[in-house]
Amino acid sequence: MRDTAPPVYEAVDLPALDFDPFLHEALREAPVIRVRLPHGTPGECWLATRYDAVRFVTSDHRFSRDIVGRPLPSMNRYLVPLDRAVSFVDPPDHTRVRSVVSSAFNRSGIAALRPRAQTVLDDLIDRMVASGPPADLVRHVTSPFPLHVIGAVLGVPAADRPRLRVWADTVLTRATDEAGVERARQAVERARQAKEDARALFRRLARERRARPQDDLMSTLAAAVANGRIEEEEMLALAVLMGLNGWHAVRNHTSNMMYVLLTDDSLMSRLRSDPGTVPAAVEELLRWIPHKHGVGQPRVATEDVEVGGVRIRRGEAVYVSYVAANWDESCHPEPDRIDTDRQGRPHLAFGHGPHHCVAPLLARLEAELLLTTLIDRLPDLRLAVDPGEVVWQRDVLIRGPVGLPVTW
């Protein structure tokens, strides 16, 4: 990485859960490196990979996420941002919008949700067992479980929840030119339409909740619009973001975790013998699993800032890699080793700073319930195929297995 010209970083689909070799090199090079991305203008930007540099960039107010419409380097040729999405808004507006939903995802809110989530999970496992082995764990459990949970939290009727899954698959797939530019453009148009369809659903639900409030998040959001705390466009963007990501991310996080357990006998044995270690295992797997291809959205320096020994100039774009930061050996010794007794600094799987994940406690609850319940109810659960036969998703923002054939 010491060439005169900055290296080009492109998102690639790696086998199974392999760690990105480019990020391995970047971690060894420096806390922040200069890179070129394949799309956008100009093509050069900064990439922060080490733990402290990532935390600094994501929490310092001099790095702005107000980037919509700006010509910036990108890993993707195509980007279809949500209008007024909280992801692209800086504080104080960002804080104002997020505060509307924060109480639903605090500890008391999540604790109240736990019994309902457990009931849903037990029912899904009952149905899988009734169908008999072999069965696809993703289709039967790790996909429908988060779909029903986020649907219940938001107040999406059960009949509409499968549409969230279809929209998420459409929107959160990276449109690439590999199959041809025209097909890529068609994929972008499908993503635009999916976002519009999702907005229409949540607009309808908000209208219904204003007339007949219920105990769900759409009622809270509708009331916030009615009393002027947020605008309707902000409400729609937040609801779509939670509805689509709340399924997609948890589906793949938990599917990845189960793949690791089903291919690591010692780890599975430990959790079976001591279920109390599941929360620690979830945290370590969140750190260890390289769940994202490439990097997300950039921040732009609003003034000159020094990060990791380099000066980033005003107007320059900075990307961060939470995946790389979670493998920074200065914070996590032997980062490639899964260690459920690991102590030290927390992982960054849910991000950091003002734009961290809105519902990490919900994601943790779902993962802990799923692992604990499957281990308890199906002690002989194992893969029904060779690990090399598991098929992995391609061109997705958060990757995971297409399916997990299991038996018991």
Side-chain angles (χ1 to χ4, degrees), residues 28 92 96 130 136 138 164 200-201 210 240 249-250 284-285 289 311 315 317 342 344 357 407:
R28 287 195 291 266
R96 171 179 55 81
D136 182 352
V138 173
L164 294 180
L201 169 66
R210 281 193 292 270
V240 172
V250 176
E284 175 65 350
L285 290 172
I289 292 171
R311 182 165 293 277
R342 190 179 295 275
C357 173
T407 188

Side-chain angles (χ1 to χ4, degrees), residues 138-375:
V138 173
R139 183 172 69 85
H140 282 280
V141 181
T142 63
S143 177
F145 179 52
L147 183 66
H148 287 299
V149 170
I150 194 61
V153 169
L154 284 167
V156 177
D160 287 318
R161 291 173 192 173
R163 300 169 69 196
L164 294 180
R165 183 182 64 236
V166 174
W167 292 331
D169 278 337
T170 303
V171 171
L172 300 175
T173 297
R174 293 187 295 117
T176 68
D177 291 341
E178 290 183 9
V181 173
E182 184 55 34
R183 287 191 179 182
R185 288 174 179 165
Q186 291 172 2
V188 171
E189 288 309 309
R190 287 194 295 271
R192 292 185 195 278
Q193 187 59 55
K195 287 183 178 181
E196 285 306 310
D197 292 343
R199 282 162 50 86
L201 169 66
F202 289 113
R203 185 181 289 108
R204 187 199 86 205
L205 292 177
R207 185 170 59 249
E208 293 174 355
R209 295 304 187 272
R210 281 193 292 270
R212 295 180 297 280
Q214 298 182 20
D215 183 19
D216 56 41
L217 203 49
M218 283 310 302
S219 296
T220 302
L221 288 168
V225 173
N227 63 31
R229 288 182 66 188
I230 61 174
E231 298 176 14
E232 184 180 55
E233 289 302 311
E234 293 173 326
M235 178 270 289
L236 292 174
L238 187 57
V240 172
L241 185 69
M242 290 188 295
L244 304 194
N245 284 357
W247 168 74
H248 177 79
V250 176
R251 179 252 193 225
N252 284 345
H253 277 313
T254 56
S255 298
N256 289 335
M257 290 179 186
M258 286 307 305
Y259 174 82
V260 173
L261 293 185
L262 293 168
T263 55
D264 187 330
D265 290 341
S266 62
L267 179 57
M268 180 66 94
S269 295
R270 178 173 186 185
L271 299 190
R272 283 172 175 157
S273 63
D274 186 3
T277 61
V278 166
V282 165
E283 294 305 306
E284 175 65 350
L285 290 172
L286 285 167
R287 180 203 69 82
W288 183 87
I289 292 171
H291 57 278
K292 278 191 176 181
H293 286 300
V295 289
Q297 302 303 323
R299 290 162 174 80
V300 174
T302 58
E303 60 182 86
D304 290 2
V305 188
E306 185 170 305
V307 183
V310 303
R311 182 165 293 277
I312 296 171
R313 302 293 182 182
R314 177 183 177 182
E316 291 185 321
V318 186
Y319 282 84
V320 302
S321 173
Y322 294 120
V323 168
N326 283 338
W327 278 48
D328 181 352
E329 63 183 3
S330 68
C331 300
H332 309 293
E334 298 182 84
D336 59 333
R337 184 171 65 89
I338 297 174
D339 179 6
T340 56
D341 295 320
R342 190 179 295 275
Q343 302 294 316
R345 305 177 76 178
H347 64 75
L348 301 180
F350 295 118
H352 183 68
H355 288 90
H356 69 277
C357 173
V358 71
L361 293 179
L362 177 60
R364 286 184 169 102
L365 169 72
E366 291 174 279
E368 291 174 12
L369 281 180
L370 195 146
L371 267 61
T372 300
T373 306
L374 283 171
I375 289 170

Side-chain angles (χ1 to χ4, degrees), residues 18-38:
D18 290 1
F19 194 84
D20 189 333
F22 186 97
L23 295 180
H24 261 309
E25 290 189 43
L27 279 167
R28 287 195 291 266
E29 181 73 12
V32 183
I33 66 169
R34 193 74 170 164
V35 297
R36 287 180 293 146
L37 299 184

